[in-house]
Amino acid sequence: MTHAAGPDPVSGRPPARERRPGDGWVECACGQRHWGLHGAAGLLLVRRDADGNPVAVVLQHRATWSHHGGTWGLPGGAREPHETAAQAAVREAGEEAGIAPEDVVVRWSSVLEHPDWSYTTVVADEAQPVEPHVADPESLEVRWVPVDDVAGLPLLPAFATAWPTLRARL
Ligand SMILES: [Zn+2]
């Protein structure tokens, strides 16, 4: 079951950009409401040292008016109808964090399946050094966070749950 997206139901603030076909809330059988009529995807961009060990990831500090505002999560958003999760994650990371598609190499993804919705974490490495920056009103800040510091931040609840497993696979 879905209904159309209007103003943000938490804040009453209008959407930050033009509405797209994938935009909208899903009333999921899990009892929660999720953003993205075709599911959602986020980019977990990893910086590695010379030995290939993960040292930092790009996180987005979410605008206070947004869903779970003020928490940290991944740049990402709703998938468009004919878009793969990887395409959606890379596109959203470009729009929200100024990360150029050619600067990342997608490695693998992890799908969280709900009865009526899914969220795909798309894990990528830098193809060349990336300096993310706030590129739209959905972010207070976007920056590299050392992997050891991630768990100490106030994380988006779903990302907090997923992080230990994701980190172990990086
Ligand atoms: Zn659900």
Side-chain angles (χ1 to χ4, degrees), residues 73-146:
L74 302 180
R79 289 170 63 174
E80 295 304 323
H82 301 295
E83 199 173 43
T84 67
Q87 288 169 338
V90 170
R91 175 182 53 75
E92 290 277 349
E95 293 172 359
E96 295 183 350
I99 297 170
E102 60 270 26
D103 289 349
V104 305
V105 179
V106 172
R107 295 299 189 195
W108 52 275
S109 59
S110 174
V111 184
L112 178 67
E113 291 280 0
H114 279 241
D116 298 301
W117 184 80
S118 69
Y119 181 90
T120 304
T121 302
V122 176
V123 180
D125 287 341
E126 290 178 291
Q128 53 191 316
V130 171
E131 290 308 325
H133 60 269
V134 172
D136 78 2
E138 295 181 31
S139 308
L140 295 172
E141 187 180 3
V142 179
R143 65 174 171 87
W144 288 105
V145 176

Side-chain angles (χ1 to χ4, degrees), residues 25-87:
W25 293 96
V26 174
E27 298 290 347
C28 185
C30 78
Q32 293 182 302
R33 185 179 54 191
H34 311 292
W35 180 254
L37 301 179
H38 306 280
L43 187 73
L44 181 58
L45 183 60
V46 181
R47 175 166 282 175
R48 298 180 183 280
D49 65 17
D51 296 323
N53 301 306
V55 294
V57 295
V58 171
L59 294 186
Q60 174 198 39
H61 195 191
R62 301 163 66 86
T64 51
W65 53 266
S66 68
H67 199 46
H68 294 295
T71 60
W72 292 77
L74 302 180
R79 289 170 63 174
E80 295 304 323
H82 301 295
E83 199 173 43
T84 67
Q87 288 169 338

